[in-house]
């Protein structure tokens, strides 16, 4: 594992989508990003990623913030909400200029085109570039897509501090991707890159389910002329059938009214164990005192395992 750039003043963040209350899976991502900021004497910001109006659950943001507080995770500065920052996304879209084009394809049409081209239904939809040179007659604009260079292919590689070297051919494996969705909502990829840039985030620590999105974000950073943060993707908690834990897949939400001992034994200690830290804390304060040096050891062990 590569360590981060030691010269940069660390600014990390936890960026939950308010699609439900905090649970053990999201606590693992919050804990890893919080501990990494503490180990590097950095700042830790919290940003509520509520751009997807369809998936937001009323009150989930407040529940998540209350859970973080109850667990003793204090953030620096003010919490930000993406839904209040749409001017920034508009400005980024203007900056992208004619790299962005309207697309009239439905998911079904993209899947059918993929099937026709490769003879098989792939798991991820790869956009074949149908509307790149203009909408077909009779089609109206749905989403906005960002052009990915075709030749030579756009291969994006980076060294993840946990997962090691990662490389993805955006041209072949992703295609031109959506920056504004057909339903009018900003795409996660654009909003996250704009906010990480605007907030001066130097270090992103989050779940490995987003590893696959990172090359698209690195490409957007390049075209928007934003600095590249360092990345660390921790494993995600899964249920018995291997699905990422979420409200939909049966995750138990936090009871924000639970006694501190309950939060300690049923949330903090299990989340720490998942991250490879066997702690024996008797109180929440004690937990964080032990967890900061323990995270340093996790980083060292991960590093040794990769050599
Ligand atoms: N909002 C995303 C989520 O809750 C995380 C985004 C990120 O950390 O980049 O899954």
């Amino acid at each position: 594992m590569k360590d981060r750039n030691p010269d940069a003043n660390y600014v990390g963040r936890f960026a939950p989508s308010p699609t439900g209350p905090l649970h053990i899976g999201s606590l693992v991502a919050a804990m890893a990003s919080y501990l990494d900021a503490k180990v590097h004497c950095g700042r830790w910001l919290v940003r509520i990623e509520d751009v997807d109006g369809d998936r937001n659950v009323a009150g989930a943001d407040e529940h998540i913030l209350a859970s973080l507080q109850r667990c003793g995770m204090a953030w620096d500065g003010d919490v930000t909400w993406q839904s209040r920052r749409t001017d920034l996304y508009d400005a980024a879209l203007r900056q992208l200029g004619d790299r962005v084009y309207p697309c009239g394809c439905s998911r079904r049409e993209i899947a059918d085109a993929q099937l026709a081209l490769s003879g098989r239904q792939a798991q991820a939809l790869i956009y074949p570039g149908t509307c790149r040179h203009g909408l077909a007659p009779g089609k109206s604009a749905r989403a906005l897509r960002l052009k990915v260079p075709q030749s030579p292919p756009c291969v994006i590689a980076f060294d993840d501090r946990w997962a090691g070297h990662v490389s993805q051919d955006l041209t072949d494996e992703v295609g031109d991707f959506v920056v504004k969705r057909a339903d009018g909502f900003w795409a996660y990829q654009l909003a996250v890159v704009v906010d990480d840039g605007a907030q001066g985030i130097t270090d992103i620590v989050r779940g490995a389910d987003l590893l696959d999105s990172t090359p698209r974000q690195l490409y957007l950073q390049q075209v928007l002329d934003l600095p590249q943060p360092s990345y660390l993707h921790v494993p995600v908690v899964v249920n018995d059938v291997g699905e990422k834990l979420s409200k939909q897949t049966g995750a138990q939400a936090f009871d924000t009214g639970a006694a501190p001992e309950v939060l300690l034994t049923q949330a903090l200690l299990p989340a720490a164990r998942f991250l490879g830290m066997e702690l024996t804390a008797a109180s929440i304060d004690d937990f964080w005192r032990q967890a900061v040096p323990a995270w340093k050891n996790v980083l060292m062990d991960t590093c040794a395992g990769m050599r």
Side-chain angles (χ1 to χ4, degrees):
M1 182 181 67
K2 250 180 59 112
D3 201 7
R4 60 177 303 276
N5 172 4
D7 300 326
N9 281 332
Y10 190 113
V11 186
R13 50 58 159 193
F14 174 52
S17 303
T19 52
L22 200 69
H23 52 74
I24 186 83
S26 36
L27 177 64
V28 162
M31 183 180 284
S33 67
Y34 177 81
L35 286 174
D36 206 53
K38 295 294 152 196
V39 160
H40 293 96
C41 303
R43 286 165 52 77
W44 186 66
L45 311 184
V46 173
R47 181 173 74 228
I48 303 290
E49 299 210 322
D50 58 347
V51 273
D52 186 343
D54 281 346
R55 292 179 64 227
N56 292 340
V57 170
D61 50 355
E62 295 305 335
H63 192 285
I64 292 169
L65 296 173
S67 305
L68 295 175
Q69 269 169 335
R70 296 270 302 153
C71 287
M73 301 165 82
W75 52 86
D76 295 299
D78 292 333
V79 174
T80 48
W81 273 261
Q82 286 190 322
S83 56
R84 303 176 193 169
R85 298 165 67 83
T86 54
D87 286 356
L88 292 177
Y89 315 142
D90 265 318
L93 187 64
R94 283 195 297 278
Q95 195 181 337
L96 292 172
D98 59 10
R99 291 174 195 267
V100 169
Y101 64 89
C103 169
C105 301
S106 63
R107 287 181 71 77
R108 169 97 247 166
E109 286 165 333
I110 300 170
D112 288 350
Q114 202 166 326
L115 191 63
L117 284 174
S118 65
R120 66 193 162 86
Q121 204 78 62
Q123 272 194 325
L125 285 186
I126 302 165
Y127 185 66
T130 319
C131 301
R132 201 167 222 256
H133 303 292
L135 290 170
K139 286 267 181 205
S140 49
R142 292 164 52 85
L144 295 177
R145 288 184 184 272
L146 176 67
K147 286 180 194 160
V148 169
Q150 298 297 295
S151 167
C154 179
V155 178
I156 303 276
F158 69 103
D159 289 315
D160 187 83
R161 291 174 52 217
W162 188 292
H165 191 70
V166 176
S167 166
Q168 189 180 52
D169 181 335
L170 280 187
T171 311
D172 265 12
E173 295 171 47
V174 178
D176 300 343
F177 59 91
V178 172
V179 288
K180 195 166 190 185
R181 297 171 11 176
D183 52 17
F185 293 125
W186 291 100
Y188 156 67
Q189 308 293 357
L190 181 86
V192 78
V193 164
V194 169
D195 281 334
D196 286 335
Q199 295 187 290
I201 303 296
T202 61
D203 290 78
I204 294 179
V205 177
R206 59 187 181 188
D209 53 318
L210 293 166
L211 197 53
D212 194 50
S213 287
T214 309
R216 266 169 282 178
Q217 296 173 14
L218 292 174
Y219 178 62
L220 266 167
Q221 286 154 11
Q222 283 173 22
V223 293
L224 290 171
D225 215 10
L226 292 169
Q228 179 182 325
S230 89
Y231 288 90
L232 189 163
H233 287 87
V234 291
V236 292
V237 183
V238 293
N239 65 12
D240 291 348
V241 291
E243 296 162 328
K244 182 193 167 195
L245 215 56
S246 69
K247 198 170 135 218
Q248 290 70 28
T249 59
Q252 278 284 321
F254 270 67
D255 173 2
T256 45
E261 314 76 75
V262 175
L263 287 175
L264 178 67
T265 53
Q266 294 186 11
L268 290 168
L269 288 170
R273 190 168 312 121
F274 181 82
L275 286 167
M277 300 178 286
E278 279 302 339
L279 308 179
T280 52
S283 69
I284 291 186
D285 282 352
D286 201 20
F287 173 86
W288 292 112
R289 266 193 297 276
Q290 292 185 18
V292 175
W295 178 250
K296 233 184 231 175
N297 290 336
V298 169
L299 293 177
M300 266 157 35
D301 289 351
T302 313
C303 186
M306 290 186 59
R307 278 198 286 264

